[in-house]
PDB file of all heavy atoms in Angstrom:
ATOM      1  N   PRO A  60       5.170  -2.689   7.201  1.00  0.00           N
ATOM      2  CA  PRO A  60       4.313  -2.996   6.166  1.00  0.00           C
ATOM      3  C   PRO A  60       4.833  -2.638   4.788  1.00  0.00           C
ATOM      4  O   PRO A  60       5.323  -1.541   4.609  1.00  0.00           O
ATOM      5  CB  PRO A  60       2.978  -2.292   6.469  1.00  0.00           C
ATOM      6  CG  PRO A  60       3.128  -1.950   7.925  1.00  0.00           C
ATOM      7  CD  PRO A  60       4.534  -1.836   8.154  1.00  0.00           C
ATOM      8  N   HIS A  61       4.649  -3.439   3.771  1.00  0.00           N
ATOM      9  CA  HIS A  61       5.073  -3.193   2.364  1.00  0.00           C
ATOM     10  C   HIS A  61       4.416  -4.040   1.450  1.00  0.00           C
ATOM     11  O   HIS A  61       3.464  -4.882   1.798  1.00  0.00           O
ATOM     12  CB  HIS A  61       6.664  -3.338   2.307  1.00  0.00           C
ATOM     13  CG  HIS A  61       7.196  -4.633   2.629  1.00  0.00           C
ATOM     14  ND1 HIS A  61       7.314  -5.255   3.852  1.00  0.00           N
ATOM     15  CD2 HIS A  61       7.655  -5.589   1.764  1.00  0.00           C
ATOM     16  CE1 HIS A  61       7.808  -6.406   3.830  1.00  0.00           C
ATOM     17  NE2 HIS A  61       7.989  -6.732   2.548  1.00  0.00           N
ATOM     18  N   VAL A  62       4.775  -3.991   0.202  1.00  0.00           N
ATOM     19  CA  VAL A  62       4.230  -4.948  -0.886  1.00  0.00           C
ATOM     20  C   VAL A  62       5.322  -5.757  -1.465  1.00  0.00           C
ATOM     21  O   VAL A  62       6.589  -5.358  -1.571  1.00  0.00           O
ATOM     22  CB  VAL A  62       3.465  -4.088  -1.895  1.00  0.00           C
ATOM     23  CG1 VAL A  62       2.241  -3.481  -1.385  1.00  0.00           C
ATOM     24  CG2 VAL A  62       4.347  -3.173  -2.703  1.00  0.00           C
ATOM     25  N   VAL A  63       4.951  -6.968  -1.910  1.00  0.00           N
ATOM     26  CA  VAL A  63       5.865  -7.763  -2.707  1.00  0.00           C
ATOM     27  C   VAL A  63       5.192  -7.874  -4.028  1.00  0.00           C
ATOM     28  O   VAL A  63       4.060  -8.168  -4.119  1.00  0.00           O
ATOM     29  CB  VAL A  63       6.159  -9.141  -2.028  1.00  0.00           C
ATOM     30  CG1 VAL A  63       5.003  -9.968  -1.818  1.00  0.00           C
ATOM     31  CG2 VAL A  63       7.304  -9.851  -2.749  1.00  0.00           C
ATOM     32  N   THR A  64       6.042  -7.763  -5.072  1.00  0.00           N
ATOM     33  CA  THR A  64       5.530  -7.814  -6.413  1.00  0.00           C
ATOM     34  C   THR A  64       6.349  -8.621  -7.414  1.00  0.00           C
ATOM     35  O   THR A  64       7.531  -8.888  -7.089  1.00  0.00           O
ATOM     36  CB  THR A  64       5.476  -6.298  -7.082  1.00  0.00           C
ATOM     37  OG1 THR A  64       6.933  -5.829  -7.256  1.00  0.00           O
ATOM     38  CG2 THR A  64       4.732  -5.432  -6.164  1.00  0.00           C
ATOM     39  N   TRP A  65       5.670  -9.082  -8.422  1.00  0.00           N
ATOM     40  CA  TRP A  65       6.440  -9.850  -9.440  1.00  0.00           C
ATOM     41  C   TRP A  65       5.630  -9.752 -10.782  1.00  0.00           C
ATOM     42  O   TRP A  65       4.409  -9.586 -10.573  1.00  0.00           O
ATOM     43  CB  TRP A  65       6.711 -11.266  -9.010  1.00  0.00           C
ATOM     44  CG  TRP A  65       5.507 -12.191  -8.751  1.00  0.00           C
ATOM     45  CD1 TRP A  65       5.064 -12.978  -9.609  1.00  0.00           C
ATOM     46  CD2 TRP A  65       4.976 -12.456  -7.535  1.00  0.00           C
ATOM     47  NE1 TRP A  65       4.032 -13.682  -9.106  1.00  0.00           N
ATOM     48  CE2 TRP A  65       3.952 -13.327  -7.704  1.00  0.00           C
ATOM     49  CE3 TRP A  65       5.114 -11.913  -6.262  1.00  0.00           C
ATOM     50  CZ2 TRP A  65       3.096 -13.799  -6.675  1.00  0.00           C
ATOM     51  CZ3 TRP A  65       4.297 -12.377  -5.243  1.00  0.00           C
ATOM     52  CH2 TRP A  65       3.339 -13.304  -5.439  1.00  0.00           C
ATOM     53  N   PRO A  66       6.242  -9.931 -11.836  1.00  0.00           N
ATOM     54  CA  PRO A  66       5.504  -9.921 -13.146  1.00  0.00           C
ATOM     55  C   PRO A  66       4.426 -10.997 -13.092  1.00  0.00           C
ATOM     56  O   PRO A  66       4.754 -12.139 -12.649  1.00  0.00           O
ATOM     57  CB  PRO A  66       6.514 -10.178 -14.191  1.00  0.00           C
ATOM     58  CG  PRO A  66       7.827  -9.753 -13.569  1.00  0.00           C
ATOM     59  CD  PRO A  66       7.692 -10.045 -12.079  1.00  0.00           C
ATOM     60  N   ALA A  67       3.312 -10.670 -13.722  1.00  0.00           N
ATOM     61  CA  ALA A  67       2.222 -11.665 -13.727  1.00  0.00           C
ATOM     62  C   ALA A  67       2.547 -12.836 -14.603  1.00  0.00           C
ATOM     63  O   ALA A  67       2.117 -13.929 -14.452  1.00  0.00           O
ATOM     64  CB  ALA A  67       0.979 -11.011 -14.195  1.00  0.00           C
ATOM     65  N   TYR A  68       3.443 -12.677 -15.565  1.00  0.00           N
ATOM     66  CA  TYR A  68       4.009 -13.745 -16.398  1.00  0.00           C
ATOM     67  C   TYR A  68       5.370 -13.309 -17.010  1.00  0.00           C
ATOM     68  O   TYR A  68       5.617 -12.124 -17.057  1.00  0.00           O
ATOM     69  CB  TYR A  68       3.054 -13.979 -17.611  1.00  0.00           C
ATOM     70  CG  TYR A  68       2.593 -12.800 -18.446  1.00  0.00           C
ATOM     71  CD1 TYR A  68       3.383 -12.484 -19.592  1.00  0.00           C
ATOM     72  CD2 TYR A  68       1.549 -11.975 -18.054  1.00  0.00           C
ATOM     73  CE1 TYR A  68       2.990 -11.420 -20.325  1.00  0.00           C
ATOM     74  CE2 TYR A  68       1.232 -10.928 -18.832  1.00  0.00           C
ATOM     75  CZ  TYR A  68       1.941 -10.623 -19.930  1.00  0.00           C
ATOM     76  OH  TYR A  68       1.613  -9.510 -20.692  1.00  0.00           O
ATOM     77  N   THR A  69       6.131 -14.199 -17.215  1.00  0.00           N
ATOM     78  CA  THR A  69       7.425 -13.889 -17.812  1.00  0.00           C
ATOM     79  C   THR A  69       7.318 -13.416 -19.322  1.00  0.00           C
ATOM     80  O   THR A  69       6.608 -14.040 -20.044  1.00  0.00           O
ATOM     81  CB  THR A  69       8.299 -15.223 -17.868  1.00  0.00           C
ATOM     82  OG1 THR A  69       8.375 -15.782 -16.534  1.00  0.00           O
ATOM     83  CG2 THR A  69       9.697 -14.865 -18.229  1.00  0.00           C
ATOM     84  N   ARG A  70       7.849 -12.326 -19.523  1.00  0.00           N
ATOM     85  CA  ARG A  70       7.813 -11.749 -20.951  1.00  0.00           C
ATOM     86  C   ARG A  70       8.579 -12.666 -21.834  1.00  0.00           C
ATOM     87  O   ARG A  70       9.498 -13.380 -21.455  1.00  0.00           O
ATOM     88  CB  ARG A  70       8.426 -10.399 -20.907  1.00  0.00           C
ATOM     89  CG  ARG A  70       7.720  -9.398 -20.025  1.00  0.00           C
ATOM     90  CD  ARG A  70       8.081  -8.011 -20.122  1.00  0.00           C
ATOM     91  NE  ARG A  70       7.739  -7.106 -19.116  1.00  0.00           N
ATOM     92  CZ  ARG A  70       6.542  -6.858 -18.595  1.00  0.00           C
ATOM     93  NH1 ARG A  70       5.498  -7.547 -19.105  1.00  0.00           N
ATOM     94  NH2 ARG A  70       6.332  -6.026 -17.707  1.00  0.00           N
ATOM     95  N   ASP A  71       8.170 -12.656 -23.076  1.00  0.00           N
ATOM     96  CA  ASP A  71       8.779 -13.449 -24.144  1.00  0.00           C
ATOM     97  C   ASP A  71       8.608 -15.012 -23.739  1.00  0.00           C
ATOM     98  O   ASP A  71       9.598 -15.778 -24.115  1.00  0.00           O
ATOM     99  CB  ASP A  71      10.247 -13.114 -24.342  1.00  0.00           C
ATOM    100  CG  ASP A  71      10.317 -11.641 -24.773  1.00  0.00           C
ATOM    101  OD1 ASP A  71       9.481 -11.132 -25.475  1.00  0.00           O
ATOM    102  OD2 ASP A  71      11.341 -10.994 -24.359  1.00  0.00           O
ATOM    103  N   SER A  72       7.615 -15.388 -23.064  1.00  0.00           N
ATOM    104  CA  SER A  72       7.497 -16.816 -22.788  1.00  0.00           C
ATOM    105  C   SER A  72       6.186 -17.272 -23.570  1.00  0.00           C
ATOM    106  O   SER A  72       5.361 -16.558 -23.935  1.00  0.00           O
ATOM    107  CB  SER A  72       7.291 -17.072 -21.342  1.00  0.00           C
ATOM    108  OG  SER A  72       5.965 -16.581 -20.897  1.00  0.00           O
ATOM    109  N   ASP A  73       6.106 -18.580 -23.528  1.00  0.00           N
ATOM    110  CA  ASP A  73       4.911 -19.232 -24.143  1.00  0.00           C
ATOM    111  C   ASP A  73       3.945 -19.746 -23.117  1.00  0.00           C
ATOM    112  O   ASP A  73       3.052 -20.478 -23.371  1.00  0.00           O
ATOM    113  CB  ASP A  73       5.319 -20.378 -25.075  1.00  0.00           C
ATOM    114  CG  ASP A  73       6.081 -21.451 -24.335  1.00  0.00           C
ATOM    115  OD1 ASP A  73       6.346 -21.291 -23.071  1.00  0.00           O
ATOM    116  OD2 ASP A  73       6.353 -22.456 -24.859  1.00  0.00           O
ATOM    117  N   LEU A  74       4.055 -19.148 -21.833  1.00  0.00           N
ATOM    118  CA  LEU A  74       3.228 -19.514 -20.726  1.00  0.00           C
ATOM    119  C   LEU A  74       1.891 -18.762 -20.830  1.00  0.00           C
ATOM    120  O   LEU A  74       1.828 -17.717 -21.494  1.00  0.00           O
ATOM    121  CB  LEU A  74       3.913 -19.167 -19.352  1.00  0.00           C
ATOM    122  CG  LEU A  74       5.143 -19.955 -19.118  1.00  0.00           C
ATOM    123  CD1 LEU A  74       5.877 -19.351 -17.824  1.00  0.00           C
ATOM    124  CD2 LEU A  74       4.916 -21.423 -18.927  1.00  0.00           C
ATOM    125  N   ASP A  75       0.930 -19.388 -20.273  1.00  0.00           N
ATOM    126  CA  ASP A  75      -0.396 -18.671 -20.165  1.00  0.00           C
ATOM    127  C   ASP A  75      -0.180 -17.329 -19.562  1.00  0.00           C
ATOM    128  O   ASP A  75       0.495 -17.275 -18.506  1.00  0.00           O
ATOM    129  CB  ASP A  75      -1.282 -19.560 -19.363  1.00  0.00           C
ATOM    130  CG  ASP A  75      -2.674 -18.949 -19.169  1.00  0.00           C
ATOM    131  OD1 ASP A  75      -3.184 -18.425 -20.161  1.00  0.00           O
ATOM    132  OD2 ASP A  75      -3.214 -18.976 -17.980  1.00  0.00           O
ATOM    133  N   PRO A  76      -0.708 -16.277 -20.071  1.00  0.00           N
ATOM    134  CA  PRO A  76      -0.423 -14.946 -19.553  1.00  0.00           C
ATOM    135  C   PRO A  76      -0.862 -14.724 -18.086  1.00  0.00           C
ATOM    136  O   PRO A  76      -0.467 -13.771 -17.517  1.00  0.00           O
ATOM    137  CB  PRO A  76      -1.156 -13.992 -20.486  1.00  0.00           C
ATOM    138  CG  PRO A  76      -1.988 -14.842 -21.406  1.00  0.00           C
ATOM    139  CD  PRO A  76      -1.475 -16.254 -21.328  1.00  0.00           C
ATOM    140  N   TRP A  77      -1.789 -15.570 -17.598  1.00  0.00           N
ATOM    141  CA  TRP A  77      -2.309 -15.343 -16.227  1.00  0.00           C
ATOM    142  C   TRP A  77      -1.617 -16.381 -15.267  1.00  0.00           C
ATOM    143  O   TRP A  77      -2.103 -16.566 -14.218  1.00  0.00           O
ATOM    144  CB  TRP A  77      -3.868 -15.386 -16.217  1.00  0.00           C
ATOM    145  CG  TRP A  77      -4.387 -14.414 -16.970  1.00  0.00           C
ATOM    146  CD1 TRP A  77      -5.050 -14.538 -18.161  1.00  0.00           C
ATOM    147  CD2 TRP A  77      -4.306 -12.979 -16.809  1.00  0.00           C
ATOM    148  NE1 TRP A  77      -5.417 -13.351 -18.702  1.00  0.00           N
ATOM    149  CE2 TRP A  77      -4.938 -12.325 -17.941  1.00  0.00           C
ATOM    150  CE3 TRP A  77      -3.652 -12.134 -15.777  1.00  0.00           C
ATOM    151  CZ2 TRP A  77      -5.049 -10.955 -18.050  1.00  0.00           C
ATOM    152  CZ3 TRP A  77      -3.810 -10.808 -15.999  1.00  0.00           C
ATOM    153  CH2 TRP A  77      -4.451 -10.175 -17.092  1.00  0.00           C
ATOM    154  N   ASP A  78      -0.535 -16.987 -15.644  1.00  0.00           N
ATOM    155  CA  ASP A  78       0.189 -17.860 -14.843  1.00  0.00           C
ATOM    156  C   ASP A  78       1.023 -17.033 -13.866  1.00  0.00           C
ATOM    157  O   ASP A  78       2.208 -16.752 -14.134  1.00  0.00           O
ATOM    158  CB  ASP A  78       1.149 -18.777 -15.731  1.00  0.00           C
ATOM    159  CG  ASP A  78       1.899 -19.788 -14.861  1.00  0.00           C
ATOM    160  OD1 ASP A  78       1.663 -19.753 -13.738  1.00  0.00           O
ATOM    161  OD2 ASP A  78       2.784 -20.468 -15.442  1.00  0.00           O
ATOM    162  N   THR A  79       0.410 -16.754 -12.757  1.00  0.00           N
ATOM    163  CA  THR A  79       1.050 -15.791 -11.738  1.00  0.00           C
ATOM    164  C   THR A  79       2.276 -16.521 -11.044  1.00  0.00           C
ATOM    165  O   THR A  79       2.966 -15.792 -10.341  1.00  0.00           O
ATOM    166  CB  THR A  79       0.086 -15.299 -10.761  1.00  0.00           C
ATOM    167  OG1 THR A  79      -0.454 -16.364 -10.103  1.00  0.00           O
ATOM    168  CG2 THR A  79      -0.981 -14.397 -11.411  1.00  0.00           C
ATOM    169  N   GLU A  80       2.395 -17.750 -11.092  1.00  0.00           N
ATOM    170  CA  GLU A  80       3.516 -18.426 -10.512  1.00  0.00           C
ATOM    171  C   GLU A  80       4.688 -18.515 -11.273  1.00  0.00           C
ATOM    172  O   GLU A  80       5.843 -18.866 -10.724  1.00  0.00           O
ATOM    173  CB  GLU A  80       3.067 -19.922 -10.030  1.00  0.00           C
ATOM    174  CG  GLU A  80       1.830 -19.936  -9.089  1.00  0.00           C
ATOM    175  CD  GLU A  80       2.098 -19.158  -7.797  1.00  0.00           C
ATOM    176  OE1 GLU A  80       3.152 -19.363  -7.232  1.00  0.00           O
ATOM    177  OE2 GLU A  80       1.228 -18.412  -7.437  1.00  0.00           O
ATOM    178  N   SER A  81       4.641 -18.137 -12.555  1.00  0.00           N
ATOM    179  CA  SER A  81       5.847 -18.349 -13.536  1.00  0.00           C
ATOM    180  C   SER A  81       6.959 -17.394 -13.247  1.00  0.00           C
ATOM    181  O   SER A  81       8.029 -17.601 -13.677  1.00  0.00           O
ATOM    182  CB  SER A  81       5.338 -18.334 -14.971  1.00  0.00           C
ATOM    183  OG  SER A  81       4.845 -16.962 -15.134  1.00  0.00           O
ATOM    184  N   ALA A  82       6.729 -16.263 -12.657  1.00  0.00           N
ATOM    185  CA  ALA A  82       7.789 -15.229 -12.496  1.00  0.00           C
ATOM    186  C   ALA A  82       8.074 -14.908 -11.059  1.00  0.00           C
ATOM    187  O   ALA A  82       8.593 -13.818 -10.676  1.00  0.00           O
ATOM    188  CB  ALA A  82       7.311 -13.990 -13.226  1.00  0.00           C
ATOM    189  N   THR A  83       7.741 -15.806 -10.153  1.00  0.00           N
ATOM    190  CA  THR A  83       7.953 -15.404  -8.747  1.00  0.00           C
ATOM    191  C   THR A  83       9.493 -15.307  -8.434  1.00  0.00           C
ATOM    192  O   THR A  83       9.751 -14.713  -7.373  1.00  0.00           O
ATOM    193  CB  THR A  83       7.416 -16.498  -7.722  1.00  0.00           C
ATOM    194  OG1 THR A  83       7.859 -17.843  -8.159  1.00  0.00           O
ATOM    195  CG2 THR A  83       5.936 -16.479  -7.860  1.00  0.00           C
ATOM    196  N   ASP A  84      10.418 -15.863  -9.207  1.00  0.00           N
ATOM    197  CA  ASP A  84      11.765 -15.679  -9.020  1.00  0.00           C
ATOM    198  C   ASP A  84      12.201 -14.195  -9.224  1.00  0.00           C
ATOM    199  O   ASP A  84      13.298 -13.801  -8.927  1.00  0.00           O
ATOM    200  CB  ASP A  84      12.622 -16.614  -9.872  1.00  0.00           C
ATOM    201  CG  ASP A  84      12.364 -16.601 -11.258  1.00  0.00           C
ATOM    202  OD1 ASP A  84      11.279 -16.152 -11.651  1.00  0.00           O
ATOM    203  OD2 ASP A  84      13.257 -16.906 -12.062  1.00  0.00           O
ATOM    204  N   TRP A  85      11.336 -13.397  -9.820  1.00  0.00           N
ATOM    205  CA  TRP A  85      11.557 -11.957 -10.090  1.00  0.00           C
ATOM    206  C   TRP A  85      10.915 -11.045  -9.126  1.00  0.00           C
ATOM    207  O   TRP A  85      10.813  -9.872  -9.249  1.00  0.00           O
ATOM    208  CB  TRP A  85      11.014 -11.577 -11.512  1.00  0.00           C
ATOM    209  CG  TRP A  85      11.684 -12.193 -12.595  1.00  0.00           C
ATOM    210  CD1 TRP A  85      12.621 -13.231 -12.649  1.00  0.00           C
ATOM    211  CD2 TRP A  85      11.555 -11.904 -13.954  1.00  0.00           C
ATOM    212  NE1 TRP A  85      13.008 -13.503 -13.847  1.00  0.00           N
ATOM    213  CE2 TRP A  85      12.417 -12.704 -14.778  1.00  0.00           C
ATOM    214  CE3 TRP A  85      10.766 -10.918 -14.624  1.00  0.00           C
ATOM    215  CZ2 TRP A  85      12.450 -12.605 -16.052  1.00  0.00           C
ATOM    216  CZ3 TRP A  85      10.899 -10.890 -16.044  1.00  0.00           C
ATOM    217  CH2 TRP A  85      11.635 -11.752 -16.733  1.00  0.00           C
ATOM    218  N   ARG A  86      10.417 -11.618  -8.003  1.00  0.00           N
ATOM    219  CA  ARG A  86       9.644 -10.866  -6.978  1.00  0.00           C
ATOM    220  C   ARG A  86      10.567  -9.981  -6.215  1.00  0.00           C
ATOM    221  O   ARG A  86      11.742 -10.215  -6.023  1.00  0.00           O
ATOM    222  CB  ARG A  86       8.895 -11.793  -6.083  1.00  0.00           C
ATOM    223  CG  ARG A  86       9.602 -12.237  -4.781  1.00  0.00           C
ATOM    224  CD  ARG A  86       8.785 -13.131  -3.985  1.00  0.00           C
ATOM    225  NE  ARG A  86       9.622 -14.275  -3.693  1.00  0.00           N
ATOM    226  CZ  ARG A  86       9.248 -15.534  -3.778  1.00  0.00           C
ATOM    227  NH1 ARG A  86       8.054 -15.911  -4.175  1.00  0.00           N
ATOM    228  NH2 ARG A  86      10.108 -16.511  -3.539  1.00  0.00           N
TER     229      ARG A  86
END
Side-chain angles (χ1 to χ4, degrees):
H61 63 283
V62 295
V63 62
T64 68
W65 63 91
Y68 55 94
T69 306
R70 299 191 198 303
D71 302 324
S72 76
D73 58 355
L74 297 173
D75 177 44
W77 300 110
D78 180 7
T79 58
E80 300 301 315
S81 65
T83 56
D84 56 334
W85 293 11
R86 91 181 131 225

